[in-house]
Amino acid sequence: MKEEKGIKVYEKLEDNLIYIKSVLEGASDIVYRTFEGGNNNAALIYIDGMADKVLLNEYVLEEFMSNKESMSLEMIKERVITLTDLKEIDSLDDGITALLSGDTLMLLDGSTKALVFATRAWPNRGVGEPAGETVVRGPREGFTETIRFNSVLLRRRIRDPRLKVEPMSLGERSKTDINITYIKDIVDEKVLEETKKRLNKIDIDAILDSGYVSQLIEDDPWSVFPQIQSTERPDVVAAALYEGRVGILVDNSPFALIVPATLPQFFQSPDDYYQRWMYGSLTRLIRAFAIILAVVLPGLYVAVTSFHTSIIPTKLAYSIAAAREGVPFPAFVEALLMEISMALLLEAIVRLPKAIGATIGIVGGLVIGQAAVSAGIISPIMVIIVGVTSITSFITSNYEVTYALRIVRFLIIIAASIAGLYGITFGCILFLIHLIKLKSFGYSYLSPVVETTKDNFKDLFFRYPWKKFIRRPDFMDIGDKIRQKETP
């Protein structure tokens, strides 16, 4: 799909304008401003609404037209134009790409080179709090759709000259700006090289969001689990870079990508580190227990009520039997109906405007649920189980993991309906085998659980006090392994 482009800048200004107008034919928002200054005919080309007109008027047009000398492009660049950010190009195709990115192209008659001014000033959303990753204590800044804002948010947190931001462009038609970020002396070089290799292999016409990039460079597209972490929080990306990982910023997307990604980091929150270690450790234990419930609770209900009623205490068995009296469906169908209904309700709440989304949640969760119980279609205990399962599913702020847990939960329910507790056990074994085999940029998806070093367990199920974090996580082949000096 990729084509070689290299139309050089013509010496005559009119020839350049003819070529550019032919390429951009029908684009009514392109502004062509021709003028004369110092006996030189020149032209400014920009997109209305994407370039800063005040900047062009005060620092380009006014300076150039007030000059009475005949000068070359090099002299204009060094003595006339007072803009700080400009570059010289010799390809019209590069100029058109810069033009479509919001910059301004300047062509001079008699010169085989052109100037590009950084005048991007398109409408943008200001920096605000991430809607999906709120914290009790911590910064309230989140990434925006403008890639330069996002890189600045990282620079504020990593004031280190070894922080590198390497630009590239993806998408034959969209030419979306991509930034690869890492800390030079800490990063895992193998991960960095693999990241660049996979990004360079992408050959697609458009990249509209970081989700495109994530799916195109992941290890196993058939796995239900995300192998690349996405986040709206610059502090999460900064923390990952300090551990030797690689960050990927994508223009037009408020979600940054972090590679490699491991399963434990999806269940960690910035709150775990901003609060005292005891609070963070307790929260992680609760989170781990919630994930277990989210995966196996409905399947366990199906298995016990369908195959293993003898293991239930007698009074509880009578209570469940009384609650299910009159329900026309077996436990398996009942569980599937409730899970599907809850999935539909959650999907509707996400798509609806916020003003009525909460109302629909109350109506769907209470009114419809109560009506179903009163009609004898669903048992009350099933409503409780699905409610608990739904709450525990959202214990992680990463929606991809939530969807993955939902799929696994459906599979566990099916396995429980076939073989009871044996089916659940077999399903969990297959589930663990898949996780063990899964890789993310060469590293095990269960790292650092599968590692045996003591330091790797300081930030896993419990979080040790900050004074104990002497070394960085060493399951990756990073550079500088020391995080802080050991104190008595």
Side-chain angles (χ1 to χ4, degrees):
M1 182 181 293
K2 294 181 179 179
E3 301 175 359
E4 293 295 331
K5 294 184 178 181
I7 302 299
K8 300 297 182 181
V9 176
Y10 298 107
E11 187 173 355
K12 291 185 178 181
L13 176 62
E14 189 63 28
D15 293 339
N16 292 321
L17 292 176
I18 290 173
Y19 176 78
I20 293 176
K21 288 180 179 180
S22 66
V23 174
L24 301 175
E25 184 179 3
S28 60
D29 55 346
I30 307 293
V31 177
Y32 300 89
R33 174 68 165 89
T34 57
F35 55 94
E36 181 179 341
N39 298 321
N40 293 101
N41 292 324
L44 284 178
I45 309 173
Y46 61 90
I47 298 179
D48 188 20
M50 293 186 70
D52 189 338
K53 294 182 181 180
V54 176
L55 204 65
L56 291 174
N57 291 336
E58 293 184 2
Y59 298 98
V60 179
L61 275 174
E62 184 177 338
E63 297 289 338
F64 188 81
M65 296 179 71
S66 62
N67 188 72
K68 303 302 181 183
E69 302 178 20
S70 179
M71 293 186 294
S72 65
L73 192 72
E74 191 68 26
M75 296 174 64
I76 292 171
K77 183 176 69 171
E78 295 180 357
R79 296 173 51 185
V80 177
I81 305 301
T82 56
L83 290 175
T84 58
D85 193 354
L86 58 86
K87 65 179 179 179
E88 189 176 292
I89 61 172
D90 59 3
S91 169
L92 285 178
D93 295 305
D94 291 342
I96 292 174
T97 299
L99 175 67
L100 296 174
S101 300
D103 292 331
T104 299
L105 179 64
M106 179 179 179
L107 298 167
L108 186 69
D109 193 27
S111 175
T112 57
K113 293 186 178 181
L115 292 178
V116 173
F117 305 133
T119 56
R120 303 182 185 186
W122 54 70
N124 56 76
R125 179 173 63 93
V127 176
E129 183 175 1
E133 297 179 71
T134 57
V135 294
V136 177
R137 179 175 181 175
R140 298 295 191 267
E141 292 178 327
F143 287 128
T144 72
E145 287 76 12
T146 305
I147 192 171
R148 187 52 59 217
F149 289 2
N150 297 341
S151 62
V152 169
L153 290 173
L154 279 183
R155 285 284 183 190
R156 285 186 59 195
R157 289 163 172 81
I158 309 176
R159 301 180 184 183
D160 188 339
R162 289 160 291 194
L163 172 64
K164 306 302 178 183
V165 181
E166 295 188 9
M168 64 182 303
S169 178
L170 291 180
E172 178 65 23
R173 297 181 184 275
S174 68
K175 293 180 171 57
T176 305
D177 292 327
I178 308 288
N179 281 347
I180 304 173
T181 62
Y182 59 94
I183 300 177
K184 180 65 177 177
D185 63 329
I186 301 179
V187 68
D188 186 329
E189 292 291 343
K190 293 186 296 183
V191 173
L192 179 60
E193 292 303 318
E194 183 66 21
T195 302
K196 293 180 180 179
K197 179 181 176 182
R198 296 188 188 187
L199 288 174
N200 286 323
K201 283 184 177 181
I202 296 177
D203 189 3
I204 193 172
D205 59 349
I207 297 291
L208 301 182
D209 184 79
S210 60
Y212 282 41
V213 178
S214 176
Q215 296 175 67
L216 288 169
I217 66 174
E218 64 183 353
D219 288 66
D220 185 2
W222 301 107
S223 175
V224 298
F225 290 93
Q227 296 123 60
I228 297 174
Q229 184 182 5
S230 62
T231 179
E232 294 181 85
R233 300 188 60 88
D235 55 328
V236 172
V237 178
L241 299 188
Y242 280 126
E243 292 184 349
R245 304 178 198 265
V246 177
I248 303 173
L249 305 178
V250 181
D251 198 20
N252 304 315
S253 175
F255 288 89
L257 305 178
I258 299 172
V259 296
T262 59
L263 186 62
Q265 76 187 67
F266 286 107
F267 302 111
Q268 297 174 355
S269 169
D271 271 328
D272 298 348
Y273 303 94
Y274 300 147
Q275 300 184 81
R276 300 186 70 235
W277 69 273
M278 289 175 287
Y279 311 152
S281 298
L282 177 61
T283 304
R284 287 190 180 182
L285 290 176
I286 295 173
R287 207 175 287 145
F289 178 69
I291 295 304
I292 296 173
L293 288 181
V295 173
V296 305
L297 185 58
L300 187 62
Y301 170 77
V302 172
V304 169
T305 55
S306 301
F307 294 92
H308 310 285
T309 54
S310 60
I311 68 174
I312 311 176
T314 305
K315 290 185 178 180
L316 180 59
Y318 285 146
S319 177
I320 293 176
R324 287 188 45 79
E325 186 178 2
V327 176
F329 307 112
F332 167 65
V333 176
E334 184 185 12
L336 279 185
L337 284 176
M338 286 300 296
E339 285 291 339
I340 293 172
S341 300
M342 184 58 68
L344 293 174
L345 180 62
L346 293 174
E347 189 68 16
I349 293 174
V350 170
R351 307 302 170 194
L352 286 172
K354 292 183 179 179
I356 61 175
T359 304
I360 295 298
I362 295 173
V363 172
L366 295 179
V367 178
I368 298 178
Q370 182 61 40
V373 172
S374 300
I377 300 175
I378 301 296
S379 64
I381 192 171
M382 191 69 241
V383 175
I384 296 173
I385 289 175
V386 171
V388 172
T389 302
S390 299
I391 293 172
T392 54
S393 296
F394 290 98
I395 202 72
T396 171
S397 60
N398 190 289
Y399 289 110
E400 291 178 296
V401 175
T402 301
Y403 289 136
L405 294 178
R406 183 182 299 170
I407 294 173
V408 173
R409 185 164 62 246
F410 273 109
L411 297 177
I412 292 295
I413 291 174
I414 295 173
S417 68
I418 297 173
L421 293 177
Y422 300 104
I424 294 177
T425 304
F426 183 69
C428 289
I429 291 174
L430 292 180
F431 167 56
L432 289 174
I433 291 174
H434 171 70
L435 291 178
I436 292 172
K437 292 177 61 179
L438 197 58
K439 301 285 185 180
S440 177
F441 284 74
Y443 289 101
S444 172
Y445 196 59
L446 290 181
S447 296
V449 178
V450 295
E451 306 294 329
T452 57
T453 60
K454 179 181 177 181
D455 286 339
N456 288 332
F457 287 89
K458 292 181 179 180
D459 190 24
L460 195 56
F461 304 109
F462 297 91
R463 184 184 78 78
Y464 280 37
W466 266 115
K467 289 185 177 180
K468 299 297 181 180
F469 285 92
I470 306 301
R471 299 174 60 86
R472 307 181 200 277
D474 58 1
F475 68 90
M476 294 193 302
D477 187 16
I478 60 176
D480 184 5
K481 299 181 184 296
I482 303 301
R483 191 196 300 265
Q484 65 174 320
K485 293 182 179 179
E486 190 170 1
T487 56

